[in-house]
Amino acid sequence: MQKKWTGKEKAAILLIALGPQKSAEIFKHLNEEEIEELTLQIANMRMVSPEEKRTIIEEFYQLCLAQEYISEGGINYAKEVLERALGSEKAKEIISKLTSSLHVRPFEFIRKADPGQLLNYIQNEHPQTIALILSYLTPAQAGQVLSSLPLEKQSDVIRRIAIMDRTSPEVIREVEAVLESKFSNILVQDYTTTGGIQTAVDILNAVDRGTEKHIMEELDAKDAELSEEIRKRMFVFEDIVTLDNRSIQRIIREVDNSQWAIALKGASEEVKQVIFSNMSKRLAEMIKEDIEFMGPVRIRDIEDAQQNIVNVIRKLEEDGEIITPRGGDEVIV
């Protein structure tokens, strides 16, 4: 009779079966506590028969397959496909395991819909309804839909996304009902956190520059505090690596050397490399020495220095001296 393995034991057996290289890749997506627990479990694992190993790998494969079906067409679609392949009882068991441990986002089914087609169904809806739907799309999809909305609706919708917090199941059901006749089955969850400033920022980063400018001007007039909070997040210090060399060199000339030393003290190696490679060798060496000998620096001071540089970047962009990448922009050659 086969042993009844716990979830952690199954995970450990799966990682052992996958080998050290693939397991190391999986560990990159786990937190420290999970890594410690799994490492301990692997270290204490006794011999596992080939049959038990095959059973656990097969179970993992079935769960992955079921999750893919759920993403494609919802719970009912996944259940139907699995029943045909594995039988009613096995399908029910797999779906039960998934729904008890995974949170499937509402509107998952429309994330694969064509933005132009989706626009036809929602453009005449109330701005709050549109905001809720866009919050569940990928930023690129939402950006395309937002750019195509009437100008008078764009800033209203992005503002509603930015201040959105928690949405009740009843509201989600009501909105889903509008699209139900055109799309696949829908999973309704308990209270779901959605929207928020970061969602609004992600969407605005995906629209074209003209749409972004219009929306931000409207927000400046309607809600200046919210507008400023969005602006702060639209381009962060680490995004410097996305700029072209000419723009980086222009920024370097505009920022005091002492600010660079503090800002780069807490920056990634990629950012440091990009900045130093666009400086003269003498200046780069001088700033590296400043970083080495300045000693410990408060996180707050590093963040302030980085934000000051971001403010310089924003000003240079507004003046048309540099261009920061946007998802909706056309490629300039």
Side-chain angles (χ1 to χ4, degrees):
M1 182 178 177
Q2 279 193 351
K3 176 184 182 325
K4 188 172 177 60
W5 301 100
T6 66
K8 288 179 185 176
E9 287 173 333
K10 288 180 180 178
I13 293 169
L14 178 66
L15 290 173
I16 292 169
L18 290 174
Q21 190 171 351
K22 288 187 173 64
S23 295
E25 289 299 314
I26 292 172
F27 272 10
K28 291 178 183 178
H29 301 279
L30 305 178
N31 60 43
E32 287 185 9
E33 185 180 348
E34 290 168 334
I35 292 172
E36 287 176 9
E37 288 181 356
L38 279 173
T39 302
L40 184 62
Q41 197 69 62
I42 291 170
N44 293 328
M45 185 60 59
R46 64 170 181 79
M47 291 293 293
V48 182
S49 71
E51 184 184 351
E52 289 173 315
K53 193 182 294 184
R54 278 195 300 270
T55 300
I56 289 168
I57 293 173
E58 179 63 26
E59 181 181 343
F60 173 72
Y61 173 72
Q62 289 172 351
L63 287 171
C64 290
L65 208 56
Q67 179 58 33
E68 186 178 335
Y69 293 150
I70 289 173
S71 298
E72 286 180 7
I75 288 287
N76 290 339
Y77 170 75
K79 186 170 178 289
E80 182 182 343
V81 174
L82 290 172
E83 281 178 347
R84 291 178 182 175
L86 305 171
S88 179
E89 286 303 313
K90 189 65 176 175
K92 185 178 178 182
E93 178 189 337
I94 293 172
I95 294 295
S96 177
K97 284 179 182 176
L98 279 176
T99 54
S100 65
S101 61
L102 299 177
H103 296 289
V104 182
R105 286 166 60 88
F107 299 103
E108 185 70 34
F109 64 97
I110 62 172
R111 288 164 71 88
K112 296 189 177 181
D114 175 72
Q117 183 185 30
L118 181 59
L119 175 69
N120 293 333
Y121 297 132
I122 69 171
Q123 62 183 341
N124 296 321
E125 295 296 326
H126 189 278
Q128 186 66 28
T129 301
I130 299 174
L132 178 62
I133 294 171
L134 296 193
S135 295
Y136 284 109
L137 298 179
T138 64
Q141 284 178 308
Q144 288 183 56
V145 174
L146 184 67
S147 299
S148 302
L149 288 174
L151 289 178
E152 62 273 14
K153 272 191 178 181
Q154 291 176 349
S155 62
D156 191 11
V157 168
I158 205 70
R159 178 179 175 275
R160 289 170 186 271
I161 291 173
I163 63 176
M164 194 181 295
D165 183 18
R166 299 178 74 81
T167 308
S168 72
E170 291 75 20
V171 172
I172 293 179
R173 275 194 290 267
E174 185 179 341
V175 175
E176 286 176 332
V178 176
L179 303 176
E180 190 171 10
S181 62
K182 298 294 181 182
F183 293 95
S184 302
N185 295 303
I186 297 159
L187 174 68
V188 180
Q189 293 179 201
D190 292 333
Y191 277 77
T192 306
T193 301
T194 186
I197 290 175
Q198 191 53 52
T199 302
V201 168
D202 291 340
I203 293 172
L204 283 172
N205 278 333
V207 304
D208 62 273
R209 201 171 304 274
T211 299
E212 179 213 314
K213 185 172 184 293
H214 169 77
I215 290 174
M216 295 308 298
E217 286 174 352
E218 289 283 315
L219 277 181
D220 287 340
K222 293 177 181 177
D223 194 332
E225 187 177 339
L226 178 64
S227 176
E228 179 59 23
E229 185 61 31
I230 288 175
R231 286 184 194 278
K232 283 181 182 178
R233 300 196 198 182
M234 285 194 68
F235 186 97
V236 297
F237 184 72
E238 295 287 324
D239 291 335
I240 286 177
V241 299
T242 67
L243 301 178
D244 62 84
N245 290 337
R246 180 179 169 278
S247 296
I248 294 172
Q249 290 159 16
R250 178 69 185 87
I251 296 162
I252 289 172
R253 292 198 300 273
E254 200 71 21
V255 175
D256 187 81
N257 294 343
S258 62
Q259 286 284 292
W260 280 119
I262 297 171
L264 293 175
K265 177 81 173 177
S268 67
E269 288 303 317
E270 185 181 12
V271 170
K272 289 178 183 176
Q273 178 61 35
V274 166
I275 296 300
F276 289 144
S277 65
N278 279 283
M279 289 178 170
S280 67
K281 187 175 180 181
R282 181 173 174 277
L283 178 57
E285 289 301 325
M286 185 177 75
I287 291 178
K288 286 177 184 178
E289 286 182 8
D290 288 345
I291 293 172
E292 184 178 352
F293 293 112
M294 71 170 53
V297 179
R298 292 187 307 173
I299 296 294
R300 177 61 185 273
D301 292 338
I302 292 174
E303 290 175 346
D304 286 346
Q306 291 180 350
Q307 186 58 51
N308 288 339
I309 293 173
V310 169
N311 292 341
V312 169
I313 293 172
R314 189 186 305 158
K315 180 68 168 59
L316 290 172
E317 183 183 29
E318 288 173 357
D319 293 343
E321 295 194 43
I322 65 171
I323 295 176
T324 59
R326 288 286 190 275
D329 285 343
E330 292 182 1
V331 176
I332 299 174
V333 293

